[in-house]
Amino acid sequence: MLSLFAQNYGFLPTRGSVMLDFVFLAMFGVIVIMGVSIALVRFRRMYNLHKWVQIILGVVLLLAVIAFEVDMRFFTNWRELAEPSPYYASGTVDTSLYIHLAFAIPTPLLWIYVIVMAIGKFPSPVMPNSYSNTHKFWARLAAIGMTMTAVTGWVFYYLGFVAS
Ligand code: HEM
């Protein structure tokens, strides 16, 4: 089917579709912005900026995940694109996808939980309070989950759509 999401219409010189290329690149931006947001709260005490950066990042990520899922399920046959990879026949690409999914599925749920709880428990304007330690625990887990989602996603992208 010829559409924006059609196969082999990616913009990187790989076998990735538009969506695969886009998410591959966008995850670099997500990790950098999240890192800056955490540094702002940790070293500069810019609580409100941290709050809004995290909320916007969460919403953008949710929209990206939905677009990605729609593309993978209805428009792009990723297996066809990954087949020329030397790692495909042995099942390594599939294994890397399962490892990726082990992080990519729980992480958005954790993000929703962390954001909803933080909005509910911190005052407005945002200030540290008795909820701080609990937030730090779950939020660090959420940040680690996002980083692992990105790293394992990059590995999957390389094994499936770059290696030849
Ligand atoms: C998934 C989204 C979020 C992530 C990953 C995240 C991440 C973090 C991390 C890692 C820290 C600890 C920084 C340190 O080491 O000192 C932190 C602190 C903090 N965050 Fe978030 N955060 C998120 C959402 C929010 C939201 C929505 C709010 C406000 C409504 C918020 C308010 C705070 C506050 C007030 C602190 C400082 C706590 C203190 O030091 O007492 N965070 N966040």
Side-chain angles (χ1 to χ4, degrees), residues 41-42 50-51 54 111 115 118 126 128 132 135-136 139-140:
V41 80
R42 188 180 178 121
H50 168 71
K51 169 184 176 174
Q54 291 305 134
W111 269 59
I115 290 175
V126 185
S132 287
H135 174 70
K136 282 195 206 171
R140 279 179 188 152

Side-chain angles (χ1 to χ4, degrees), residues 18-62:
V18 167
M19 258 305 174
L20 281 162
D21 289 357
F22 177 76
V23 173
F24 174 81
L25 285 183
M27 286 314 284
F28 286 97
V30 167
I31 298 303
V32 169
I33 293 170
M34 184 182 76
V36 170
S37 168
I38 292 171
L40 285 178
V41 80
R42 188 180 178 121
F43 301 114
R44 306 234 167 145
R45 303 194 180 143
M46 297 172 85
Y47 303 115
N48 274 303
L49 192 56
H50 168 71
K51 169 184 176 174
W52 287 108
V53 170
Q54 291 305 134
I55 290 174
I56 292 166
L57 213 50
V59 172
V60 169
L61 274 165
L62 211 57

Side-chain angles (χ1 to χ4, degrees), residues 15 82-96 155 158-164:
R15 293 184 299 274
E83 230 177 317
S85 163
Y87 299 102
Y88 186 78
S90 60
T92 308
V93 173
D94 279 81
T95 305
S96 76
V155 171
Y158 171 78
L159 292 176
F161 312 106
V162 181
S164 60

